[in-house]
């Protein structure tokens, strides 16, 4: 049963019991009383005699934070805004009234989200899905900031939206897949809120020691650390530049390098590494250390780590493929150099697990390619590709598979791809068909039903310009470049998006299994430093695409590792049924995150 929560104009909370799509009676409760209402209805609560209700609200991050602060966890939820975004653009719901309705309040994003790459330049594979919003598809709503109030806060708004979503799913040609996707996306929102609430264990003293070791003692505000100041002097000396040269100013630095005859046209690492000049070594070191200072330096430490916990701001579905993004703290870009600061509480351990070669395995499952699934049966899929006779070395297998996923058309990737196509025809045909769809300006859809956006207005203009009566060779070349670029986008969208769905199912299963394990047994270790309701039980603290970190009492760590593995198997079955594709994990139980790899 859905229990819909909505803001009342008076400032109270309206609680609607909604079995199926029929509106039930609504109660009005003051906000301060909501945690007690939820706690009572949850399994184990005084009134929780049946299955857990599915708490339905407009924005999990807004509603759930207050409940967690009161020590209340919910078993299930339905995030109307996240689910609306999926259904609005899914090809599986294209014929629904929800998909064809004019844009409204439910199309407003509560947080800025990442959009697919714009067509102002040809995208590079490693930047294809995580550029800032603003260069998005022609059908996407304009990203915004967290709203204070809107039409959806009315007493009937969320209930009406729930009805529309249920109708869109029921009328879909694949309702089961869409229901799983919406449930997984909503569960992911619960996980994100819980991880922010619990926090990732973080030793500020260890982080400070890491920075001091690399940069020197913490400098006064506005001053460079000692090591950066030393390198800045070496850079000036190598360029015979005045003491006023600021290596943080790229235009000034490039101008000084030009005067010195260095010959660099940019400050990219790959270009600098090809140049033989005394400035290269100190400049590369300066760039690396400056990145550490600005991304995870003392200011970051002061801002994001409090009470021994790092609490980043996750954005569920913040990337167009369904991957998560981060709107603060840089949680998805924690460099290895600072992971030594992630240390379990006394008497606790970190269980770190990551899925091996996730995207190729997902491709095998989507395509029903038994040969590729068999290649991954013994753990290392790339070694299995070599054993199949498709290629001679593991490196070629990896290069060829990445080319298939990201559209490699030159070098070793292009040479290997035909051999992979002969050995794994169904898998390679799937990504090739997705690329052709994108090149035609079409959309593609993941296993569970998340659809890609159509290309942006730049793509449209390029295609139209190529057929103009006065179009020249440049216009035709531009159109071909945009066509290939969008084909590379859709080629990987179906695989990366389905991998994100697998990861969401994995997270949901881990979350459920960890809670079922209960609290730390008597004598099994000290209570942790996380707030209630996670102080005495294992809980998720970090997630990065295909990797999770669980903070667990030491006595429960082995059982947690087993639960994480079982959850990976369950995620595979949810997406691919009985098809025999394996999702092996690398699991490590450690005191410090840095020791996991």
């Amino acid at each position: 049963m859905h229990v819909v929560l909505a803001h009342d104009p008076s400032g109270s909370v309206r609680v609607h019991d909604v079995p199926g799509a029929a509106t039930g009676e609504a109660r009005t409760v003051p906000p301060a009383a909501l945690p007690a209402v939820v706690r009572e209805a949850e399994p184990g609560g005084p009134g929780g005699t049946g299955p857990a209700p599915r708490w339905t609200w407009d924005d999990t991050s807004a509603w759930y934070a207050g409940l967690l602060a009161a020590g209340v966890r919910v078993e299930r939820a339905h995030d109307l805004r996240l689910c609306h975004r999926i259904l609005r653009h899914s090809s599986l719901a294209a014929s629904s009234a929800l998909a064809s309705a004019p844009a409204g309040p439910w199309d407003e994003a509560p947080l800025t989200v990442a959009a697919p790459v714009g067509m102002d330049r040809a995208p590079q594979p490693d930047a294809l899905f995580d550029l800032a919003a603003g260069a998005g598809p022609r059908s996407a709503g304009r990203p915004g900031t967290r709203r204070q109030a809107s039409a959806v806060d009315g007493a009937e708004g969320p209930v009406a939206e729930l009805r529309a979503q249920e109708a869109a799913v029921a009328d879909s040609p694949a309702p089961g897949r869409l229901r799983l996707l919406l449930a997984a996306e909503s569960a992911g929102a619960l996980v994100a809120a819980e991880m922010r609430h619990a926090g990732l264990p973080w030793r500020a003293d260890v982080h400070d020691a890491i920075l001091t070791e690399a940069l020197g003692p913490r400098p006064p505000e506005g001053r460079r650390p000692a090591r950066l100041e030393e390198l800045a002097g070496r850079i000036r000396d190598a360029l015979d530049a005045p003491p006023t040269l600021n290596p943080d100013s790229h235009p000034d630095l490039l101008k000084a390098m030009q005067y010195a005859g260095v010959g660099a046209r940019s400050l990219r690492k790959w270009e600098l590494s090809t140049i033989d000049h005394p400035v290269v070594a100190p400049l590369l070191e300066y760039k690396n250390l400056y990145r550490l200072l600005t991304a995870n330096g003392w200011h970051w430490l002061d801002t994001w780590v409090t009470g021994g916990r790092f609490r980043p701001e996750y954005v569920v579905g913040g990337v167009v493929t369904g991957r998560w993004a981060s709107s603060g703290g840089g949680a998805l870009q924690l460099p290895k150099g600072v992971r030594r600061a992630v240390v379990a509480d006394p008497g606790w351990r970190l269980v770190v697990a990551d899925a091996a070669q996730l995207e190729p395995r997902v491709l095998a499952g989507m395509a029903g390619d038994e040969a590729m699934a068999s290649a991954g049966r013994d753990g290392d899929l790339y070694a299995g590709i070599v054993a199949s006779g498709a290629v001679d070395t593991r490196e070629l297998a990896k290069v060829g598979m990445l080319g298939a996923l990201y559209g490699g058309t030159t070098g070793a990737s292009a040479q290997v791809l035909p051999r992979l196509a002969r050995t794994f025809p169904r898998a390679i045909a799937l990504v090739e068909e997705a690329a052709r769809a994108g090149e035609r300006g079409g959309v593609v859809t993941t296993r569970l039903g998340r659809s890609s956006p159509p290309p942006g207005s730049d793509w449209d203009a390029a295609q139209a310009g190529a057929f103009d009566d006065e179009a020249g060779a440049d216009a035709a070349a531009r159109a071909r470049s945009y066509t290939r670029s969008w084909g590379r986008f859709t080629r990987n969208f179906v695989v990366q998006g389905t991998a994100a769905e697998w990861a969401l199912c994995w997270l949901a299963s881990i979350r459920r299994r960890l809670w079922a394990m209960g609290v730390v047994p008597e004598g099994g270790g000290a209570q942790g430093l996380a707030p209630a309701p996670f102080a005495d039980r294992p809980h998720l603290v970090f997630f990065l695409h295909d990797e999770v970190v669980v903070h667990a009492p030491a006595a429960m760590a082995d059982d947690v590792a087993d639960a994480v593995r079982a959850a990976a198997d369950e995620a595979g079955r949810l997406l691919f049924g009985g098809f025999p594709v394996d999702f092996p994990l690398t699991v490590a139980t450690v005191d410090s995150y840095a020791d996991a790899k």
Side-chain angles (χ1 to χ4, degrees), residues 38-62:
V38 174
R39 182 184 286 112
E40 182 179 13
E42 281 291 305
T49 57
R54 191 175 295 278
W55 301 98
T56 302
W57 43 45
D58 61 341
D59 182 358
T60 298
S61 59

PDB file of all heavy atoms in Angstrom, residues 38-62:
ATOM      1  N   VAL A  38       5.335   7.606  11.193  1.00  0.00           N
ATOM      2  CA  VAL A  38       6.062   6.681  10.318  1.00  0.00           C
ATOM      3  C   VAL A  38       6.584   5.498  11.114  1.00  0.00           C
ATOM      4  O   VAL A  38       6.479   4.333  10.680  1.00  0.00           O
ATOM      5  CB  VAL A  38       7.205   7.424   9.599  1.00  0.00           C
ATOM      6  CG1 VAL A  38       8.063   6.444   8.807  1.00  0.00           C
ATOM      7  CG2 VAL A  38       6.644   8.504   8.685  1.00  0.00           C
ATOM      8  N   ARG A  39       7.149   5.763  12.282  1.00  0.00           N
ATOM      9  CA  ARG A  39       7.701   4.674  13.100  1.00  0.00           C
ATOM     10  C   ARG A  39       6.617   3.666  13.465  1.00  0.00           C
ATOM     11  O   ARG A  39       6.835   2.452  13.442  1.00  0.00           O
ATOM     12  CB  ARG A  39       8.332   5.251  14.362  1.00  0.00           C
ATOM     13  CG  ARG A  39       8.979   4.193  15.253  1.00  0.00           C
ATOM     14  CD  ARG A  39       9.523   4.769  16.544  1.00  0.00           C
ATOM     15  NE  ARG A  39      10.742   5.534  16.327  1.00  0.00           N
ATOM     16  CZ  ARG A  39      10.836   6.855  16.467  1.00  0.00           C
ATOM     17  NH1 ARG A  39       9.756   7.571  16.787  1.00  0.00           N
ATOM     18  NH2 ARG A  39      11.975   7.468  16.276  1.00  0.00           N
ATOM     19  N   GLU A  40       5.435   4.141  13.775  1.00  0.00           N
ATOM     20  CA  GLU A  40       4.346   3.250  14.162  1.00  0.00           C
ATOM     21  C   GLU A  40       3.908   2.357  13.014  1.00  0.00           C
ATOM     22  O   GLU A  40       3.570   1.183  13.221  1.00  0.00           O
ATOM     23  CB  GLU A  40       3.151   4.066  14.648  1.00  0.00           C
ATOM     24  CG  GLU A  40       1.991   3.208  15.113  1.00  0.00           C
ATOM     25  CD  GLU A  40       0.828   4.029  15.621  1.00  0.00           C
ATOM     26  OE1 GLU A  40       0.820   5.257  15.391  1.00  0.00           O
ATOM     27  OE2 GLU A  40      -0.079   3.444  16.231  1.00  0.00           O
ATOM     28  N   ALA A  41       3.940   2.887  11.780  1.00  0.00           N
ATOM     29  CA  ALA A  41       3.459   2.115  10.631  1.00  0.00           C
ATOM     30  C   ALA A  41       4.493   1.145  10.086  1.00  0.00           C
ATOM     31  O   ALA A  41       4.140   0.191   9.380  1.00  0.00           O
ATOM     32  CB  ALA A  41       3.029   3.074   9.518  1.00  0.00           C
ATOM     33  N   GLU A  42       5.766   1.363  10.375  1.00  0.00           N
ATOM     34  CA  GLU A  42       6.819   0.490   9.855  1.00  0.00           C
ATOM     35  C   GLU A  42       6.785  -0.870  10.552  1.00  0.00           C
ATOM     36  O   GLU A  42       6.333  -0.981  11.699  1.00  0.00           O
ATOM     37  CB  GLU A  42       8.193   1.128  10.070  1.00  0.00           C
ATOM     38  CG  GLU A  42       8.538   2.204   9.062  1.00  0.00           C
ATOM     39  CD  GLU A  42       8.779   1.633   7.672  1.00  0.00           C
ATOM     40  OE1 GLU A  42       9.625   0.732   7.521  1.00  0.00           O
ATOM     41  OE2 GLU A  42       8.108   2.098   6.729  1.00  0.00           O
ATOM     42  N   PRO A  43       7.235  -1.924   9.870  1.00  0.00           N
ATOM     43  CA  PRO A  43       7.318  -3.236  10.523  1.00  0.00           C
ATOM     44  C   PRO A  43       8.128  -3.138  11.812  1.00  0.00           C
ATOM     45  O   PRO A  43       9.183  -2.519  11.855  1.00  0.00           O
ATOM     46  CB  PRO A  43       8.038  -4.100   9.480  1.00  0.00           C
ATOM     47  CG  PRO A  43       7.716  -3.448   8.185  1.00  0.00           C
ATOM     48  CD  PRO A  43       7.670  -1.971   8.474  1.00  0.00           C
ATOM     49  N   GLY A  44       7.585  -3.724  12.862  1.00  0.00           N
ATOM     50  CA  GLY A  44       8.234  -3.628  14.156  1.00  0.00           C
ATOM     51  C   GLY A  44       7.679  -2.510  15.003  1.00  0.00           C
ATOM     52  O   GLY A  44       7.893  -2.483  16.222  1.00  0.00           O
ATOM     53  N   GLY A  45       6.979  -1.558  14.375  1.00  0.00           N
ATOM     54  CA  GLY A  45       6.343  -0.495  15.121  1.00  0.00           C
ATOM     55  C   GLY A  45       5.029  -0.956  15.718  1.00  0.00           C
ATOM     56  O   GLY A  45       4.502  -2.016  15.374  1.00  0.00           O
ATOM     57  N   PRO A  46       4.444  -0.149  16.621  1.00  0.00           N
ATOM     58  CA  PRO A  46       3.194  -0.550  17.287  1.00  0.00           C
ATOM     59  C   PRO A  46       2.065  -0.863  16.323  1.00  0.00           C
ATOM     60  O   PRO A  46       1.255  -1.756  16.584  1.00  0.00           O
ATOM     61  CB  PRO A  46       2.862   0.677  18.158  1.00  0.00           C
ATOM     62  CG  PRO A  46       4.164   1.362  18.377  1.00  0.00           C
ATOM     63  CD  PRO A  46       4.958   1.130  17.130  1.00  0.00           C
ATOM     64  N   GLY A  47       2.010  -0.130  15.191  1.00  0.00           N
ATOM     65  CA  GLY A  47       0.920  -0.379  14.250  1.00  0.00           C
ATOM     66  C   GLY A  47       1.346  -1.127  13.013  1.00  0.00           C
ATOM     67  O   GLY A  47       0.562  -1.303  12.081  1.00  0.00           O
ATOM     68  N   GLY A  48       2.604  -1.569  12.974  1.00  0.00           N
ATOM     69  CA  GLY A  48       3.133  -2.208  11.765  1.00  0.00           C
ATOM     70  C   GLY A  48       2.876  -3.694  11.752  1.00  0.00           C
ATOM     71  O   GLY A  48       3.788  -4.510  11.954  1.00  0.00           O
ATOM     72  N   THR A  49       1.652  -4.086  11.513  1.00  0.00           N
ATOM     73  CA  THR A  49       1.288  -5.509  11.558  1.00  0.00           C
ATOM     74  C   THR A  49       1.358  -6.186  10.201  1.00  0.00           C
ATOM     75  O   THR A  49       1.413  -7.406  10.121  1.00  0.00           O
ATOM     76  CB  THR A  49      -0.140  -5.660  12.110  1.00  0.00           C
ATOM     77  OG1 THR A  49      -1.042  -4.890  11.291  1.00  0.00           O
ATOM     78  CG2 THR A  49      -0.219  -5.161  13.546  1.00  0.00           C
ATOM     79  N   GLY A  50       1.337  -5.418   9.120  1.00  0.00           N
ATOM     80  CA  GLY A  50       1.355  -6.004   7.782  1.00  0.00           C
ATOM     81  C   GLY A  50       2.633  -5.675   7.053  1.00  0.00           C
ATOM     82  O   GLY A  50       3.652  -5.319   7.662  1.00  0.00           O
ATOM     83  N   PRO A  51       2.614  -5.787   5.710  1.00  0.00           N
ATOM     84  CA  PRO A  51       3.789  -5.422   4.915  1.00  0.00           C
ATOM     85  C   PRO A  51       4.136  -3.951   5.109  1.00  0.00           C
ATOM     86  O   PRO A  51       3.287  -3.120   5.436  1.00  0.00           O
ATOM     87  CB  PRO A  51       3.341  -5.699   3.473  1.00  0.00           C
ATOM     88  CG  PRO A  51       2.173  -6.623   3.604  1.00  0.00           C
ATOM     89  CD  PRO A  51       1.495  -6.276   4.894  1.00  0.00           C
ATOM     90  N   ALA A  52       5.398  -3.631   4.896  1.00  0.00           N
ATOM     91  CA  ALA A  52       5.842  -2.246   5.036  1.00  0.00           C
ATOM     92  C   ALA A  52       5.102  -1.361   4.044  1.00  0.00           C
ATOM     93  O   ALA A  52       4.975  -1.719   2.868  1.00  0.00           O
ATOM     94  CB  ALA A  52       7.340  -2.150   4.801  1.00  0.00           C
ATOM     95  N   PRO A  53       4.596  -0.213   4.468  1.00  0.00           N
ATOM     96  CA  PRO A  53       3.991   0.705   3.500  1.00  0.00           C
ATOM     97  C   PRO A  53       5.054   1.258   2.568  1.00  0.00           C
ATOM     98  O   PRO A  53       6.241   1.274   2.893  1.00  0.00           O
ATOM     99  CB  PRO A  53       3.400   1.801   4.386  1.00  0.00           C
ATOM    100  CG  PRO A  53       4.227   1.770   5.633  1.00  0.00           C
ATOM    101  CD  PRO A  53       4.609   0.334   5.831  1.00  0.00           C
ATOM    102  N   ARG A  54       4.622   1.685   1.398  1.00  0.00           N
ATOM    103  CA  ARG A  54       5.539   2.360   0.483  1.00  0.00           C
ATOM    104  C   ARG A  54       5.284   3.862   0.628  1.00  0.00           C
ATOM    105  O   ARG A  54       4.319   4.395   0.104  1.00  0.00           O
ATOM    106  CB  ARG A  54       5.313   1.902  -0.958  1.00  0.00           C
ATOM    107  CG  ARG A  54       6.416   2.365  -1.913  1.00  0.00           C
ATOM    108  CD  ARG A  54       6.233   1.804  -3.313  1.00  0.00           C
ATOM    109  NE  ARG A  54       6.359   0.368  -3.366  1.00  0.00           N
ATOM    110  CZ  ARG A  54       7.519  -0.297  -3.424  1.00  0.00           C
ATOM    111  NH1 ARG A  54       8.654   0.365  -3.433  1.00  0.00           N
ATOM    112  NH2 ARG A  54       7.525  -1.609  -3.473  1.00  0.00           N
ATOM    113  N   TRP A  55       6.174   4.529   1.363  1.00  0.00           N
ATOM    114  CA  TRP A  55       6.031   5.958   1.596  1.00  0.00           C
ATOM    115  C   TRP A  55       6.276   6.695   0.282  1.00  0.00           C
ATOM    116  O   TRP A  55       7.311   6.511  -0.355  1.00  0.00           O
ATOM    117  CB  TRP A  55       7.001   6.422   2.676  1.00  0.00           C
ATOM    118  CG  TRP A  55       6.767   5.709   3.976  1.00  0.00           C
ATOM    119  CD1 TRP A  55       7.454   4.625   4.437  1.00  0.00           C
ATOM    120  CD2 TRP A  55       5.753   5.995   4.935  1.00  0.00           C
ATOM    121  NE1 TRP A  55       6.943   4.213   5.641  1.00  0.00           N
ATOM    122  CE2 TRP A  55       5.897   5.043   5.980  1.00  0.00           C
ATOM    123  CE3 TRP A  55       4.748   6.950   5.028  1.00  0.00           C
ATOM    124  CZ2 TRP A  55       5.062   5.031   7.098  1.00  0.00           C
ATOM    125  CZ3 TRP A  55       3.921   6.944   6.149  1.00  0.00           C
ATOM    126  CH2 TRP A  55       4.078   6.002   7.164  1.00  0.00           C
ATOM    127  N   THR A  56       5.320   7.483  -0.102  1.00  0.00           N
ATOM    128  CA  THR A  56       5.337   8.116  -1.420  1.00  0.00           C
ATOM    129  C   THR A  56       5.356   9.626  -1.231  1.00  0.00           C
ATOM    130  O   THR A  56       4.473  10.185  -0.567  1.00  0.00           O
ATOM    131  CB  THR A  56       4.112   7.679  -2.239  1.00  0.00           C
ATOM    132  OG1 THR A  56       4.127   6.246  -2.352  1.00  0.00           O
ATOM    133  CG2 THR A  56       4.124   8.294  -3.625  1.00  0.00           C
ATOM    134  N   TRP A  57       6.367  10.247  -1.790  1.00  0.00           N
ATOM    135  CA  TRP A  57       6.572  11.680  -1.592  1.00  0.00           C
ATOM    136  C   TRP A  57       7.216  12.287  -2.817  1.00  0.00           C
ATOM    137  O   TRP A  57       7.659  11.568  -3.724  1.00  0.00           O
ATOM    138  CB  TRP A  57       7.406  11.936  -0.345  1.00  0.00           C
ATOM    139  CG  TRP A  57       8.582  11.011  -0.169  1.00  0.00           C
ATOM    140  CD1 TRP A  57       9.500  10.614  -1.097  1.00  0.00           C
ATOM    141  CD2 TRP A  57       8.955  10.325   1.044  1.00  0.00           C
ATOM    142  NE1 TRP A  57      10.421   9.752  -0.565  1.00  0.00           N
ATOM    143  CE2 TRP A  57      10.118   9.557   0.754  1.00  0.00           C
ATOM    144  CE3 TRP A  57       8.447  10.304   2.337  1.00  0.00           C
ATOM    145  CZ2 TRP A  57      10.755   8.782   1.712  1.00  0.00           C
ATOM    146  CZ3 TRP A  57       9.093   9.530   3.289  1.00  0.00           C
ATOM    147  CH2 TRP A  57      10.218   8.775   2.981  1.00  0.00           C
ATOM    148  N   ASP A  58       7.287  13.606  -2.846  1.00  0.00           N
ATOM    149  CA  ASP A  58       7.807  14.255  -4.048  1.00  0.00           C
ATOM    150  C   ASP A  58       9.318  14.196  -4.129  1.00  0.00           C
ATOM    151  O   ASP A  58       9.882  14.208  -5.223  1.00  0.00           O
ATOM    152  CB  ASP A  58       7.320  15.716  -4.137  1.00  0.00           C
ATOM    153  CG  ASP A  58       7.768  16.560  -2.961  1.00  0.00           C
ATOM    154  OD1 ASP A  58       8.135  15.992  -1.916  1.00  0.00           O
ATOM    155  OD2 ASP A  58       7.725  17.802  -3.075  1.00  0.00           O
ATOM    156  N   ASP A  59      10.030  14.132  -3.003  1.00  0.00           N
ATOM    157  CA  ASP A  59      11.488  14.232  -3.020  1.00  0.00           C
ATOM    158  C   ASP A  59      12.036  13.532  -1.781  1.00  0.00           C
ATOM    159  O   ASP A  59      11.907  14.039  -0.661  1.00  0.00           O
ATOM    160  CB  ASP A  59      11.900  15.709  -3.035  1.00  0.00           C
ATOM    161  CG  ASP A  59      13.400  15.927  -3.110  1.00  0.00           C
ATOM    162  OD1 ASP A  59      14.150  14.927  -3.110  1.00  0.00           O
ATOM    163  OD2 ASP A  59      13.821  17.095  -3.174  1.00  0.00           O
ATOM    164  N   THR A  60      12.656  12.379  -1.974  1.00  0.00           N
ATOM    165  CA  THR A  60      13.170  11.605  -0.845  1.00  0.00           C
ATOM    166  C   THR A  60      14.153  12.399  -0.012  1.00  0.00           C
ATOM    167  O   THR A  60      14.103  12.365   1.226  1.00  0.00           O
ATOM    168  CB  THR A  60      13.839  10.313  -1.356  1.00  0.00           C
ATOM    169  OG1 THR A  60      12.854   9.514  -2.019  1.00  0.00           O
ATOM    170  CG2 THR A  60      14.454   9.520  -0.214  1.00  0.00           C
ATOM    171  N   SER A  61      15.060  13.111  -0.660  1.00  0.00           N
ATOM    172  CA  SER A  61      16.099  13.816   0.086  1.00  0.00           C
ATOM    173  C   SER A  61      15.506  14.868   1.020  1.00  0.00           C
ATOM    174  O   SER A  61      16.068  15.162   2.077  1.00  0.00           O
ATOM    175  CB  SER A  61      17.091  14.477  -0.874  1.00  0.00           C
ATOM    176  OG  SER A  61      16.437  15.402  -1.723  1.00  0.00           O
ATOM    177  N   ALA A  62      14.346  15.443   0.654  1.00  0.00           N
ATOM    178  CA  ALA A  62      13.726  16.461   1.492  1.00  0.00           C
ATOM    179  C   ALA A  62      12.953  15.844   2.658  1.00  0.00           C
ATOM    180  O   ALA A  62      13.019  16.327   3.793  1.00  0.00           O
ATOM    181  CB  ALA A  62      12.793  17.328   0.644  1.00  0.00           C
TER     182      ALA A  62
END
